[in-house]
Amino acid sequence: RDFNRLVQDQRKALGLEISDRIAVLYDAPARIADAIAAHHQYLCNELLAERLEAVAAPPDGSAKLALSGEAIFVAVTRI
């Protein structure tokens, strides 16, 4: 739920509509990436994300956010 909230906040900060389909790239520590992967379908449905993908380095244009006290990098783009 926290990751969902962070991405929704990023959507709002970027001026995207709640109904816009998006792509989400993220770089996160293994424990957080595993949790996101375990809830992949749920998060895609909640976020209207056509792409939700972990990457090995912070994606271009990403925002540095904190989740469970750890830094993650998230890039949100409209599709």
Side-chain angles (χ1 to χ4, degrees):
R1 288 185 292 198
D2 290 337
F3 182 78
N4 181 31
R5 180 184 49 78
L6 288 175
V7 174
Q8 296 292 15
D9 289 347
Q10 279 303 109
R11 178 197 294 270
K12 185 185 293 184
L14 293 169
L16 301 176
E17 297 295 325
I18 195 72
S19 59
D20 287 339
R21 296 275 176 190
I22 60 172
V24 180
L25 300 178
Y26 64 92
D27 177 26
R31 151 181 104 79
I32 293 174
D34 290 346
I36 293 168
H39 300 283
H40 183 268
Q41 192 57 50
Y42 168 80
L43 289 166
C44 285
N45 289 338
E46 289 294 309
L47 298 169
L48 297 181
E50 299 211 0
R51 182 176 173 200
L52 176 60
E53 184 178 331
V55 293
D60 291 338
S62 64
K64 182 179 181 183
L65 307 170
L67 185 62
S68 297
E70 297 191 59
I72 65 169
F73 296 87
V74 177
V76 177
T77 54
R78 180 180 20 214
I79 294 180

